[in-house]
């Protein structure tokens, strides 16, 4: 408690906040998982040069020119909640194959993509009592595929393994959602 009090009562906020995070990380043995951990599985990279945001072609999406222009300026806009609520088509068109592969319980996701050593490391650390929680920005669900309990994972950006209404939060049937996407969402991949 004295360490926390000292860290919170100093002037170097950025340094002290990072020190506080490191303190909590080592005290509680939590893991922060970033997008790179799933790339060796074949999951597309979003942020690096040549990744999805770098190669995004807004002209492909069913969107008015103003929305396309915003995607050109800020490629992450295509997956933003703001755009989704205004026009869900670009998000669905971008993620169509991913939705069909992952959300549909009969989809081929787990045949295509396998957990990496990093995913299994978390499972082993948890089994040994050395891990309390995994915080991940990945939406792929490979943590659970490796055997980590769902309640051990905090999906910061959500998970494509669960479909819920954006307005009320009610869970939807994944197979029915995938069928609606297959029928109603244009395939922009060719």
């Amino acid at each position: 408690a004295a360490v926390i009090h000292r860290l919170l009562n100093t002037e170097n906020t950025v340094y002290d906040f990072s020190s506080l995070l490191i303190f909590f990380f080592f005290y509680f043995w939590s893991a922060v998982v970033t997008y790179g951990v799933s790339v060796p599985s074949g999951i597309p990279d979003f942020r690096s040069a040549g990744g999805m945001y770098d190669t995004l072609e807004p002209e492909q999406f069913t969107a008015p020119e103003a929305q396309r222009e915003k995607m050109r300026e800020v490629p992450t806009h295509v997956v933003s909640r703001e755009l989704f609520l205004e026009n869900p088509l670009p998000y669905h068109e971008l993620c169509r194959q991913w939705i069909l592969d992952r959300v549909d319980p009969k989809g081929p996701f787990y045949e295509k993509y396998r957990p990496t050593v990093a995913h299994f490391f978390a499972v082993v650390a948890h089994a040994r009592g050395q891990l309390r929680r995994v915080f991940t920005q990945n939406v792929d669900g490979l943590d659970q595929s490796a055997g980590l309990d769902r309640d051990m994972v905090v999906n910061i950006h959500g998970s494509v393994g669960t479909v819920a209404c954006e307005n009320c939060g009610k869970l939807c049937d994944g197979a029915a959602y995938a069928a609606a996407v297959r029928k109603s969402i244009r395939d922009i991949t060719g």
Side-chain angles (χ1 to χ4, degrees):
V3 172
I4 295 170
H5 179 72
R6 183 182 60 77
L7 290 173
L8 293 176
N9 290 306
T10 61
E11 294 191 24
N12 192 349
T13 309
V14 173
Y15 171 77
D16 292 324
F17 182 69
S18 64
S19 298
L20 184 62
L21 287 176
I22 291 168
F23 171 80
F24 278 113
F25 178 82
F26 286 108
Y27 185 78
F28 293 109
W29 284 100
S30 294
V32 178
V33 179
T34 63
Y35 66 93
V37 77
S38 294
V39 171
S41 297
I43 303 291
D45 186 349
F46 282 44
R47 292 176 177 85
S48 299
M52 187 193 75
Y53 294 138
D54 189 42
T55 60
L56 190 71
E57 296 178 29
E59 297 74 28
Q60 293 182 350
F61 298 111
T62 306
E65 185 54 35
Q67 290 175 348
R68 289 181 186 157
E69 184 58 35
K70 178 86 183 234
M71 287 182 247
R72 282 185 208 95
E73 293 170 9
V74 183
T76 58
H77 186 61
V78 71
V79 293
S80 72
R81 186 171 196 273
E82 174 190 347
L83 179 61
F84 184 84
L85 293 176
E86 191 176 311
N87 177 7
L89 289 174
Y91 172 84
H92 282 96
E93 290 168 348
L94 176 72
C95 299
R96 184 179 189 275
Q97 193 57 52
W98 181 265
I99 291 167
L100 297 179
D101 287 353
R102 175 70 174 93
V103 175
D104 187 344
K106 296 177 184 162
F109 181 84
Y110 294 111
E111 294 168 18
K112 283 183 172 180
Y113 310 112
R114 304 257 186 237
T116 66
V117 171
H119 294 105
F120 288 111
F121 177 79
V123 174
V124 171
H126 176 58
R128 294 177 64 182
Q130 296 173 321
L131 181 71
R132 290 192 183 248
R133 189 87 57 233
V134 171
F135 296 89
T136 182
Q137 63 180 2
N138 296 335
V139 299
D140 53 43
L142 290 178
D143 305 289
Q144 289 89 7
S145 181
L148 200 59
D149 294 334
R150 187 176 297 268
D151 63 340
M152 287 292 301
V153 179
V154 176
N155 292 293
I156 296 166
H157 297 305
S159 171
V160 294
T162 304
V163 181
C165 174
E166 191 66 30
N167 293 319
C168 70
K170 181 179 177 186
L171 293 178
C172 305
D173 176 63
Y177 177 69
V181 166
R182 185 177 287 110
K183 178 180 176 186
S184 305
I185 301 298
R186 185 171 62 95
D187 183 358
I188 62 170
T189 62

